Amino acid sequence: MSQSETLAQAARWLREARRVVVFTGAGVSAESGIPTFRDDSGLWQRYPPEQFACWDGLLRTALVQPRQVADFLVAVIEPIASAQPNPGHRAIAELERHVPVTVITQNVDGLHQEAGSTTVREVHGSFFEVVTLSGRFVQLLSRRDLQDIVARVRSAQAGPLKLLRLGLALRPLIRLGPTSIQRPKIVLFGEAMAEPDWSNAQRDSDECDVMLVVGTSGLVWPAAMLPIDAKRRGARIIDIDPGEAGQGDLWLRGPAAGVLPMLLQAAFG
Ligand code: OAD
């Protein structure tokens, strides 16, 4: 099938759909300036996940090389702090005007909500929510708060960077006190999925008849099982990605910010 035939078929499926799930990964935010994880310039290429993607690795690195952890945190937080939704996020939000939609995202950047999507399951949590170690809500941060944290980490980086100095710069996102620990509600490797979002996402995914899978390598479990299970159940799966085809029925090859508005236009004019 040519790309234009694939687009026409995907548009037909969207028009016929009763419930749509849009399952997104880092690629949907690439054009908002947030790096992906596994592309050539991805985060895990620069910062090995065994050192930076789990709490014990991060803490161990912070004890001996606080500067490396500071660099990593700036690389993660700075793009999120200044990001804005791109035409891909906005097209996903606009889809709600035509059909019931749930967005299930592995991203922690808040951009789907900011674009106007009303039902968003953040299965890997959110960088804007601060919780205690046991998961109790502490406070919501704004993009502005994250910008302030980046500015403080940057100025701490200017001098001899000690762990204590880094810790102070990171407040209130991370607070390591003698009696309580605060952290962003993001899911690192080895941690349980964010609840209640993950349970809701599994239910929504069970109920959809079309799933758009946008900008994810599909390598991280258990999130990656959602499209596989939905397909097994008979849902129609449409992959949108400039890189590899996923395991869907149709593959719209290209960047999300280009393909999604085109798909919406083809489906609903
Ligand atoms: P990956 O970095 O693994 O995959 C990004 C996908 O986005 C790839 O398939 C790219 O081809 C695609 N992509 C790149 N640019 C794009 C664009 N402009 N438009 C659309 N797609 C584009 O990111 P994820 O699949 O999201 O988890 O990674 C999943 C999880 O691994 C993350 O949530 C994170 C990470 O470790 C945790 O930290 C628990």
Side-chain angles (χ1 to χ4, degrees):
M1 228 192 290
S2 71
Q3 270 292 290
S4 67
E5 286 166 336
T6 310
L7 183 72
Q9 175 74 290
R12 251 191 316 277
W13 285 1
L14 274 188
R15 276 195 302 274
E16 291 166 9
R18 283 174 297 106
R19 295 201 71 82
V20 174
V21 159
V22 185
F23 175 56
T24 66
V28 78
S29 297
E31 283 142 297
S32 294
I34 300 178
T36 61
F37 295 95
R38 296 176 181 78
D39 289 303
D40 288 345
S41 55
L43 216 54
W44 296 155
Q45 305 296 333
R46 289 178 284 152
Y47 299 97
E50 57 282 6
Q51 237 180 309
F52 293 96
C54 52
W55 284 110
D56 58 335
L58 264 175
L59 287 175
R60 254 184 287 120
T61 311
L63 284 172
V64 285
Q65 293 163 310
R67 190 169 291 282
Q68 265 200 38
V69 172
D71 292 348
F72 169 70
L73 291 170
V74 168
V76 173
I77 303 172
E78 194 165 44
I80 295 179
S82 59
Q84 292 187 346
N86 67 52
H89 297 105
R90 285 196 286 274
I92 292 168
E94 201 190 317
L95 188 58
E96 283 183 27
R97 290 178 30 217
H98 307 281
V99 58
V101 177
T102 300
V103 177
I104 301 175
T105 188
Q106 299 165 88
N107 301 342
V108 295
D109 58 30
L111 291 176
H112 286 298
Q113 295 91 323
E114 206 164 313
S117 286
T118 53
T119 309
V120 182
R121 313 295 188 205
E122 296 176 302
V123 297
H124 287 166
S126 164
F127 233 109
F128 299 93
E129 202 174 325
V130 179
V131 293
T132 61
L133 207 54
S134 61
R136 189 173 49 78
F137 173 80
V138 177
Q139 77 180 100
L140 267 187
L141 301 180
S142 63
R143 275 188 216 282
R144 185 59 222 239
D145 295 327
L146 292 187
Q147 283 165 16
D148 292 345
I149 289 167
V150 170
R152 285 200 303 273
V153 174
R154 278 203 181 288
S155 83
Q157 279 172 314
L161 187 65
K162 295 278 184 324
L163 188 55
L164 181 64
R165 212 154 161 227
L166 176 61
L168 289 175
L170 286 168
R171 295 168 104 174
L173 187 64
I174 297 177
R175 198 187 290 253
L176 300 177
T179 53
S180 75
I181 294 180
Q182 279 178 213
R183 51 167 289 187
K185 189 185 173 183
I186 50 170
V187 175
L188 297 187
F189 284 14
E191 294 194 294
M193 299 292 269
E195 291 291 0
D197 292 54
W198 174 238
S199 299
N200 289 332
Q202 287 172 284
R203 192 203 55 225
D204 298 326
S205 167
D206 269 354
E207 291 171 357
C208 75
D209 51 358
V210 170
M211 185 182 283
L212 298 180
V213 180
V214 186
T216 177
S217 57
L219 291 174
V220 174
W221 291 75
M225 78 185 205
L226 294 177
I228 295 170
D229 283 353
K231 183 172 178 176
R232 203 175 289 139
R233 221 180 16 76
R236 292 162 159 176
I237 313 292
I238 304 166
D239 289 315
I240 297 173
D241 199 295
E244 304 277 312
Q247 300 178 37
D249 304 292
L250 294 177
W251 176 26
L252 294 172
R253 185 174 194 168
V259 171
L260 279 160
M262 242 164 42
L263 177 59
L264 224 76
Q265 173 69 25
F268 304 107

